[in-house]
Amino acid sequence: MCSPAILFFIIFAYLPMPGLYLAFIKFNYSDGIFRSMFVGFDNFRFLVINGDLWRLTVNTILYNLAFIILGNVLQIVVAVLLNELRKKWFKKVAQTFMFLPYFISAVLIGLIAYNFLSYDYGVLNSVLESLGFDPVKTYSNPHIWPFIIVLVYLWQTTGYGSIVYFAAIMGLDNEIIEAAEIDGANAYRRIIHIIIPWLKPTFIILLLFSLGGILKGNFGLFYNLVGASNTMLFPTTDIIETYVFRSLMNNFNFSMGSAVSLYQSVFGFIIVVSCNWFVKKVSPENSLF
């Protein structure tokens, strides 16, 4: 039963690993990967000198921290609120409507955002102009996009992500809740002293998994919301994935893209090991390994 999963990781995770050699060469098509000129860490040095690596790292980490922290908090809140609903039909309807945004294509989300935020034809500027205000140049203002991207991400993923916490709540023994009710605990006390502590192991595990990908941005969301060629928004919206995409598709610089990807993977591995070590010191029963 495990063989399909093992085969998947062998084909897509381990067999491509020799391609990491691209990060240490100046690739050209005529010589191929293993006959191109070896340049060592020159690709990494170039990224550090021109400032791209620092900007990409900061943007990617800050976005993912916002996604992880706000996402998990909202998911816990939604799961707790769903658990407090007493009418089963309303609970199922609410879950269905909250899950729907997760299955909407990022392309469609980008189209909706453009129709709403476009300077010439967007709904937002049409409303502002009808009220006598000046239109907003959203796609040339980099400072408002962090809020837009985080808001769209939370709208799309909160409902679906809450299912894990809701399933964990369903595993809670009802006798504990009933005993608390008999002792006079109201809904607030039950949530704070029983449900939230019960969700702590689940939260820590999901947090560790998320931190492992803290340098892996949501390329589909960023690409469809912002695009890959709007240089005016790069200071606040450019992440590692979009940089690699431009390196490969626009500049055909495979070596630079591979160097960034290798840096991304090594940094993520160090974060996972470090965070797991910290959790193991504080709460050994909740560590991954």
Side-chain angles (χ1 to χ4, degrees):
M1 293 179 64
C2 294
S3 58
I6 295 174
L7 186 64
F8 172 85
F9 283 104
I10 290 176
I11 295 175
F12 294 103
Y14 290 98
L15 290 181
M17 287 186 71
L20 294 175
Y21 184 66
L22 271 169
F24 305 97
I25 64 174
K26 187 176 181 180
F27 177 76
N28 63 75
Y29 290 94
S30 58
D31 295 332
I33 296 178
F34 297 104
R35 289 189 299 174
S36 295
M37 183 176 65
F38 182 81
V39 296
F41 290 95
D42 284 353
N43 293 321
F44 300 92
R45 188 178 300 111
F46 175 77
L47 288 170
V48 174
I49 292 174
N50 67 7
D52 284 342
L53 192 62
W54 172 252
R55 173 174 56 85
L56 296 171
T57 301
V58 170
N59 285 348
T60 306
I61 289 178
L62 290 180
Y63 274 113
N64 279 321
L65 283 177
F67 294 162
I68 292 170
I69 297 173
L70 296 178
N72 279 280
V73 170
L74 285 178
Q75 289 165 17
I76 291 174
V77 170
V78 169
V80 171
L81 292 178
L82 286 174
N83 182 64
E84 293 299 315
L85 293 175
R86 293 294 175 256
K87 295 183 179 180
K88 293 184 178 180
W89 67 268
F90 184 77
K91 183 184 297 187
K92 293 180 180 179
V93 171
Q95 283 180 307
T96 301
F97 277 102
M98 285 188 295
F99 291 163
L100 287 179
Y102 183 82
F103 300 101
I104 298 177
S105 169
V107 178
L108 183 57
I109 292 176
L111 178 62
I112 295 172
Y114 181 79
N115 287 329
F116 185 78
L117 301 172
S118 172
Y119 180 78
D120 296 318
Y121 311 106
V123 175
L124 176 62
N125 283 337
S126 297
V127 173
L128 290 176
E129 289 177 348
S130 66
L131 297 175
F133 296 98
D134 295 330
V136 179
K137 295 182 179 179
T138 307
Y139 285 91
S140 60
N141 186 352
H143 302 292
I144 64 176
W145 276 96
F147 302 98
I148 295 174
I149 292 173
V150 171
L151 182 63
V152 172
Y153 176 86
L154 295 176
W155 168 78
Q156 186 182 20
T157 60
T158 298
Y160 183 83
S162 64
I163 192 173
V164 177
Y165 291 108
F166 186 70
I169 294 175
M170 291 295 98
L172 180 61
D173 191 352
N174 286 330
E175 293 183 357
I176 299 177
I177 301 294
E178 293 173 356
E181 292 177 349
I182 293 173
D183 290 339
N186 56 23
Y188 175 78
R189 294 296 181 184
R190 294 196 302 270
I191 292 172
I192 295 299
H193 297 290
I194 299 177
I195 296 179
I196 297 299
W198 177 261
L199 294 177
K200 177 183 174 182
T202 304
F203 173 79
I204 292 176
I205 291 174
L206 293 179
L207 180 64
L208 290 176
F209 281 134
S210 300
L211 289 175
I214 198 169
L215 279 185
K216 295 184 181 296
N218 191 330
F219 173 76
L221 180 65
F222 281 80
Y223 178 74
N224 287 284
L225 279 179
V226 181
S229 58
N230 191 344
T231 56
M232 298 184 68
L233 302 182
F234 281 177
T236 60
T237 64
D238 199 20
I239 59 172
I240 292 177
E241 268 71 13
T242 54
Y243 182 89
V244 172
F245 177 81
R246 290 197 308 276
S247 299
L248 298 179
M249 301 303 295
N250 299 344
N251 305 325
F252 299 101
N253 194 336
F254 294 92
S255 297
M256 197 67 67
S258 181
V260 176
S261 297
L262 179 58
Y263 161 77
Q264 183 184 45
S265 299
V266 172
F267 195 89
F269 174 77
I270 293 174
I271 290 178
V272 170
V273 174
S274 302
C275 292
N276 184 78
W277 175 84
F278 176 77
V279 172
K280 196 170 185 178
K281 291 292 185 180
V282 176
S283 180
E285 68 276 5
N286 293 321
S287 62
L288 286 176
F289 50 86

